[in-house]
Structures are given as structure tokens and as C-alpha cells.
Amino acid sequence: MSTAGVSILGLQWALWAVTQTPADREYQGPEGVPNKSGPAKAAKPNTDVSVDDVFGTGAPAKPPEAQKPPEAAKPAAKPAAGGELSMDDVFGAGADTGSSEAPARGSEPAGTTTARDLELDDVFGGGGSQPAGASTGPTTTVTTTTPAPTDKQVDAPAGKQKLQSPSEQILNKTGGKLHTRFRIISSLHYDVDRAEPRKISRNENRVEFYFAYTPNKHVQVVGEVDPVLMGTNQSRELDDLASQVYIQRFHLESRAAYVALTDIAPGLDIKVGRQIVVWGTADKFNPTNNINADDLEDRPLFTEPIANQMAVIDYSPLRDRDKLYFQGVYIPLFFPALLPPSAAAGLKDPYAETPFANDRELAKITYLQEDYLPKNPKLVPRVFGHVEMPENKFTNGQFAFKMGSRLGEVDISASYYYGRHDIPLPVEATTTQVHALNDPTDPPDGYWFRSDVRLIYPKMQVIGLDFATQVPFLGNMGLWGEAALIIPEAKQFHIDLPPLPGGGVDVTPNDDMANPEAFIAGPAIKKQPFLKATAGFDYTFGKHVYVQAQYLRGMINEFGAGHIGNYILGGTDLIFFGRKLVFRAFGMVDLPNNNPKGKGPSGVIAPALLFAPPWGYVNFELGSFALLGGDKTYFGQRATGSSIVYFKVIGSF
């Protein structure tokens, strides 16, 4: 019986949708634990050009580091009572902490470390306000700045020159034209629950080399290459021990390889090459963000975008670029999401949730899973998944458009995307009998049937709206929201039933009729449009307590009307010693109607401790993910994987 093929949409994805660590590939070490800004966006720099700028007869342009980001509004500080200790006295505000209010999102030049409020990307590892070189709005330039001396330099003897990191030296020697980043990241995951046996499940060692060369105000060349060594041995056969491919798994990743041309005409920027474009105003869960595929393989960096080849055109007709801007993106090559290791196991689970959209087909599958299969274990097939990738043709390219504006204190934008869902969905499961049921000997692999599942990447159109703002009369509380109306390509799901005598399996035993069926078929994806949305707020109490909450309609894996759930996410950061030490606790719970009747809610709790030693250049992270919920609940089902603890060390220079 091939019902195992339906479970690629199984609940294992739920874990990957919430169990993210506070890993962040973009932050620098010396200034303390990384942090993020609030949702409001800064005004774009004036980059209008004259004829002299184009033909090179005018005065030389100011180096990028001369541009200063605007400061966010700061609420009046509450005076402490005379002689009383303040929170700063107890917890150590530190020079890098600054005010309790964050600068506007996106206002910090790339490569700087600024004291700001934390947001969800810090928890889940988004990197900077976006990945290095990522496009979010009307401009594609990446401003660089000469790093300020860090706390590690205060011990230098008087009269001697303060030490600089290699990145700082390169930046200074090139007059601010070449910004570099070098990092070494080593992480370890250990399964502590829902795993037999308990073991080290992941060991990644990564070296990051990033550069952005800006010879003048019109040209920028950006690249990043990351050699990655996976430390877990994958050899299973004797021949494997003669291959480094299995013993030391090594690969290269690249998050950027593009050329940016800025102000080639007034307000017009073009960026071509391998890059990342991130849309949306919510934290981490962005239903309007569909241009880059998602990296779901490493839970601490869940939904980190995967760079792809594309052309990005930004146009801002007004001098104040925030007032009106347009962005167009064309992606000639489809790139799929990088799936977690549990994806294949989920596909082979005959008891996982199915993607059928109608109650009639769901009732048949429920009978098979809860009654028929447990009584007939020989009918459980060995499952093989076969993914159909779109051909690399221009007609299979993806494109997107965005129009945005800043109205007072509110950033707002509308967008359109035409492309594909980046997680494969099953549309057909073909069953073949490979061993006779009446054979007295058991099959060598333990299976009497084989199921071949065909998976595709369905097409979709996405119409999106988003906004972000800060509310001054509520202490600059950040508010954001975004919604995506998704118009999918309709798809049927066809499952072969075992070719048994009589024509198949009677999957409707309660109708008082013997009517065996050879297959089950029905809509997996209806043509009906469906809505995904995120809305949330964050607030910082003084300099030491940060809170955030979000409502989510639809996880990243959920696709199609009838398959969309509802979730609540919340958490807090307790910030100590000038952001050198942060205790973080975030969690998510699904609403009861997401699960079968009587099963109740389920959820995940993710505490973490982040520490940046005072000597700089290094950060440590220690955290865990605990899965809560009973069997067949969204987060409690076996297919979601194991509960883990993790440790990460990051060196920057």
C-alpha cells in the first residue's frame, strides 16, 4: 500500500519551522552579542548624479564610510531617584549599549556593530538585518564603514597604536573601498530526546570569506565563498572508508557573487549575479518573501535564504528614495529548498498526515492508517521518492515586482511574485508488488511492495502587502504585518493501492458494501486561493529586557487551501553587561484546531545563552530545543525529529 508516499508534507516540517537557534552568520564578535533593529526603515542616501559624475570630470565622490545613518527617535530617559542604583549599575550598560531605542531597520552600514534592540533574526540567525548583500528595497548599494575601535583595545599601553583586525587594516589601507569579513564557525548538535540512540547528530565547521569592493560611487563588486566541512562520518560500507567523500564531507557555498551598478541614471540601480533578495517586514516568517529558496537543512539557521542567479533593477524617481521606489527581479534558474535530513524519513512514514484537501479522501486514508495497515503490515511498502525538477529554460524563469513608499512613520509596500513553491509535493504514488505474499520465505529487505512517489514543485502566484512602523507614544513599540494571497496551480494526488485479489482494498468499510478500490485520487492542491499572514510587535524595556510576539497563519511548508494552520510565537531577551551576555527564551505553540480532535496543542520551547567575552573576536552560544505535544500533534509527532542541545563558537577577524 502506497500511502507512505503522501507524507512529504508530514509534520516533521513543523520542527524545522520553529526550532531555530540564535545563530547569526552576519554579526561581528568584538562588540558583544549581536542584535537587530526595529521594523522601521531608514531613508535612503541621496545618490543622484550629474554629468560630471558619469564622465568622471567632477570632484571625487565621498568614500562610502562618510555616509552616516540617521538616528532613530529616542524616548526621554526615566531619571533614577537620587542615590538609587539603576539597572545600568547592576547589569553594566557598557559603552556599546547606547540608548534603549534601536536605530531604524536597515540604517546601519554593512559591517558595523551598533547597539540596537534585538529581533527575531537574532534568535533564528538571519544575519545582519539581511544576509550580506541582500536587496530589500529601492537601492542595491552596500555601504561600508571603518570599524570603530572595540572594547578589546582598551588594554593597549598608553601612547601605542591600538591593534586592528585584518578586516580593519584592509579597509583602512584601501581608503574604505574594500570591506572584508573573515569568520570561522564550529557547531555541534546532540540529540537528547525522541532519538534512538542519543547521539551527536551534526557537526559543521565553516570558514567564511566575504568581500565588497567599491572603487567609486557607481560600481560595487561583491563575493562570498564558504568552505564547509561536515565532521560526522557517513561511511557505511567497507568501500566508503577509501573515500574522503564519506569520511570528511566537504562542500563550498556562496551567498554572493554579483556586480552592482548604482545610479547609472538618476535613481536607477542594477545588480546582476548570484545574490539574495529578501522581502517582507515581519521577523523571519515572511509569506511575501519567495524569491530565494530556503535553507531548511540546518535548524539553527532555519529559512536562511539560498543565493541564486538573478537580475535586480531598482528605480526611485524621487530624490527621497523612501517616498516611492520600484523593484523588479528576474530569476532564470529555479533553485529548490535544501531539505532537512528528516524529509526522506517523513516520506517513508505511512502514518504521517496526507495532503488530500477533501474530507472524502482523508477519511479513506485515515481508515488505512489507523485500522487497515496495522492489521496488515506486509502491505507497508518500501518508498522511493523521485523529484521532477523544472527544466532550465527561460520559460521556467521566475519574476517579481515590488512598489513601496514611506508614508509618515509607516513603511508600506505591495508586491507580486510568479514562480514555484520551493518544497516538493507528492502528486503520484505507484505501487509494485516485489515479493509474493504466499511465499514462505520473507523478502531480503523486509518489504513485499514498492512505492515510487513522484514529487513536483507546483507553480504559484503571490500578491503581497506589508507594513512596518514604530509607535512613538508607546515608547517606540515596533509593529509590523504582512499578508500574501497565494494563487496556486491545482494538482491531483493519485495513490495506487496494493493489487490484491478482488481488485484492491475496501477503504470504505462502514458503508455496508464490499467495494474494493484500486486507487485513491483527489485534489491535493485546490485552485482556490489561500492566505498566509504574519503580524507582530516588539518592545524594549529600558536597555535590558526585550519582548516580542507574532501571530502566524501558515508555516513555510504549508501549501494549499485546507492545509494552513495558525500559530503564536513569543519570547524575551534579558540583556546583561553591555550586551556581552544575553539569556534568551522563545517558543511557539499551535492553536488546538490545527491538530486532531482531542489531541490538544503542541509546541516548542527554545532557551539559549549567548556570551561574548570582553577580549573580543569570539562569541559562544549554548541552547536547546524541547518538543512538546502528544503523538499526531503538529510538533509532537515522531516525524518532527528529536529534541536537541547545541553549542556554537564563532571567531571573527
Side-chain angles (χ1 to χ4, degrees):
M1 211 287 295
S2 59
T3 54
V6 305
S7 59
I8 191 62
L9 282 181
L11 302 184
Q12 77 276 11
W13 290 109
L15 171 62
W16 303 93
V18 297
T19 56
Q20 296 78 309
T21 69
D24 183 345
R25 290 184 180 174
E26 300 305 325
Y27 67 77
Q28 303 291 332
E31 298 297 330
V33 173
N35 54 84
K36 301 294 289 185
S37 57
K41 298 177 180 177
K44 302 297 182 296
N46 178 15
T47 55
D48 293 342
V49 297
S50 65
V51 174
D52 287 343
D53 295 320
V54 176
F55 293 105
T57 57
K62 293 182 179 180
E65 67 270 21
Q67 302 176 11
K68 299 296 183 181
E71 295 184 358
K74 301 177 182 178
K78 296 180 180 180
E84 295 182 359
L85 290 175
S86 67
M87 292 288 285
D88 288 347
D89 297 320
V90 178
F91 294 136
D96 59 344
T97 304
S99 74
S100 60
E101 295 303 323
R105 174 180 294 185
S107 63
E108 305 90 335
T112 62
T113 307
T114 310
R116 338 164 253 180
D117 294 341
L118 297 166
E119 65 180 30
L120 207 58
D121 278 348
D122 300 312
V123 184
F124 295 157
S129 57
Q130 297 299 351
S135 294
T136 58
T139 184
T140 59
T141 52
V142 180
T143 304
T144 59
T145 185
T146 304
T150 56
D151 291 345
K152 64 183 178 295
Q153 299 167 344
V154 297
D155 295 328
K160 291 188 177 181
Q161 186 177 4
K162 295 179 180 178
L163 296 177
Q164 290 184 325
S165 70
S167 295
E168 293 169 339
Q169 294 178 33
I170 292 173
L171 190 63
N172 291 333
K173 289 180 179 179
T174 60
K177 293 181 179 181
L178 181 58
H179 176 78
T180 58
R181 183 185 66 242
F182 308 97
R183 299 208 307 164
I184 297 175
I185 305 171
S186 182
S187 62
L188 191 72
H189 296 186
Y190 185 78
D191 294 334
V192 295
D193 192 20
R194 305 192 183 210
E196 292 295 337
R198 298 179 180 181
K199 64 183 184 300
I200 295 174
S201 55
R202 180 182 178 85
N203 173 223
E204 181 185 83
N205 303 277
R206 173 185 298 268
V207 182
E208 295 181 352
F209 301 97
Y210 167 84
F211 73 89
Y213 179 60
T214 311
N216 55 57
K217 64 191 293 186
H218 301 293
V219 177
Q220 186 174 62
V221 181
V222 180
E224 179 178 336
V225 60
D226 303 342
V228 182
L229 177 65
M230 305 301 294
T232 52
N233 176 23
Q234 295 295 304
S235 58
R236 296 294 181 268
E237 303 293 337
L238 183 60
D239 290 342
D240 297 343
L241 297 177
S243 173
Q244 292 280 11
V245 173
Y246 297 101
I247 296 179
Q248 296 192 62
R249 293 181 296 149
F250 175 81
H251 68 274
L252 289 175
E253 296 180 13
S254 175
R255 291 162 53 83
Y258 65 85
V259 174
L261 304 176
T262 304
D263 279 328
I264 58 177
L268 180 63
D269 305 333
I270 297 178
K271 191 161 65 171
V272 179
R274 184 174 178 84
Q275 54 192 296
I276 293 172
V277 175
V278 180
W279 284 358
T281 55
D283 273 335
K284 206 61 182 177
F285 297 93
N286 303 106
T288 64
N289 183 38
N290 298 283
I291 294 173
N292 291 89
D294 297 294
D295 185 345
L296 308 174
E297 187 262 344
D298 185 3
R299 280 180 284 182
L301 297 169
F302 177 81
T303 73
E304 180 175 275
I306 301 173
N308 198 359
Q309 191 77 14
M310 66 183 73
V312 181
I313 300 177
D314 292 294
Y315 178 61
S316 303
L318 305 179
R319 180 174 293 272
D320 185 348
R321 290 194 167 196
D322 269 350
K323 294 299 182 183
L324 181 65
Y325 63 87
F326 303 89
Q327 186 175 69
V329 183
Y330 174 68
I331 310 101
L333 303 175
F334 172 77
F335 204 90
L338 184 62
L339 302 183
S342 62
L347 178 66
K348 298 175 182 180
D349 184 1
Y351 304 103
E353 184 183 13
T354 68
F356 281 120
N358 289 343
D359 292 339
R360 181 178 59 185
E361 288 79 24
L362 286 174
K364 295 177 181 179
I365 289 294
T366 299
Y367 166 71
L368 288 170
Q369 292 178 331
E370 297 184 358
D371 194 347
Y372 193 82
L373 277 180
K375 295 178 181 178
N376 300 274
K378 289 185 177 181
L379 301 184
V380 177
R382 184 177 184 181
V383 180
F384 297 85
H386 309 282
V387 178
E388 290 187 0
M389 296 295 299
E391 294 184 7
N392 293 330
K393 302 189 301 184
F394 285 109
T395 54
N396 281 332
Q398 308 155 81
F399 58 87
F401 304 98
K402 182 178 183 180
M403 178 179 68
S405 179
R406 185 178 181 88
L407 305 176
E409 296 300 320
V410 181
D411 290 301
I412 188 170
S413 70
S415 60
Y416 172 81
Y417 168 82
Y418 176 84
R420 296 177 183 269
H421 186 49
D422 63 357
I423 297 175
L425 303 177
V427 293
E428 184 179 29
T430 304
T431 299
T432 306
Q433 187 169 350
V434 294
H435 196 83
L437 291 173
N438 57 1
D439 191 325
T441 62
D442 291 341
D445 61 359
Y447 291 95
W448 281 261
F449 292 89
R450 169 187 174 126
S451 180
D452 291 275
V453 181
R454 183 168 64 94
L455 303 104
I456 67 167
Y457 295 90
K459 293 181 179 180
M460 66 178 182
Q461 302 177 69
V462 182
I463 301 172
L465 290 172
D466 62 67
F467 81 92
T469 188
Q470 289 181 316
V471 186
F473 61 86
L474 293 178
N476 272 4
M477 173 187 289
L479 297 175
W480 59 83
E482 61 180 284
L485 180 66
I486 302 174
I487 306 171
E489 178 186 27
K491 288 295 179 182
Q492 293 286 109
F493 188 24
H494 180 104
I495 302 176
D496 282 348
L497 298 181
L500 301 178
V505 179
D506 184 2
V507 290
T508 56
N510 298 323
D511 60 1
D512 298 324
M513 296 178 61
N515 49 356
E517 299 183 23
F519 62 87
I520 299 176
I525 305 172
K526 297 181 179 179
K527 193 172 181 58
Q528 174 184 345
F530 60 95
L531 185 71
K532 284 189 174 184
T534 306
F537 74 91
D538 64 356
Y539 188 77
T540 302
F541 296 89
K543 303 175 184 178
H544 306 282
V545 180
Y546 168 82
V547 295
Q548 186 196 85
Q550 286 194 120
Y551 160 76
L552 313 177
R553 175 171 174 78
M555 282 291 185
I556 185 173
N557 66 292
E558 295 174 331
F559 191 78
H563 301 307
I564 307 301
N566 299 279
Y567 310 86
I568 300 295
L569 168 68
T572 183
D573 280 0
L574 302 180
I575 305 165
F576 304 92
F577 308 113
R579 214 177 292 277
K580 294 294 189 296
L581 179 67
V582 173
F583 173 75
R584 174 170 295 150
F586 271 73
M588 176 177 283
V589 63
D590 62 353
L591 300 186
N593 60 357
N594 291 357
N595 301 315
K597 187 175 181 180
K599 294 294 184 179
S602 61
V604 175
I605 297 178
L609 187 67
L610 292 81
F611 173 59
W615 51 83
Y617 295 112
V618 66
N619 285 282
F620 297 96
E621 302 174 8
L622 177 65
S624 67
F625 303 115
L627 302 174
L628 306 174
D631 186 31
K632 294 190 177 182
T633 59
Y634 202 95
F635 298 119
Q637 197 180 59
R638 181 181 59 182
T640 56
S642 61
S643 297
I644 68 170
V645 296
Y646 70 90
F647 175 76
K648 178 173 291 191
V649 58
I650 304 172
S652 305
F653 59 94

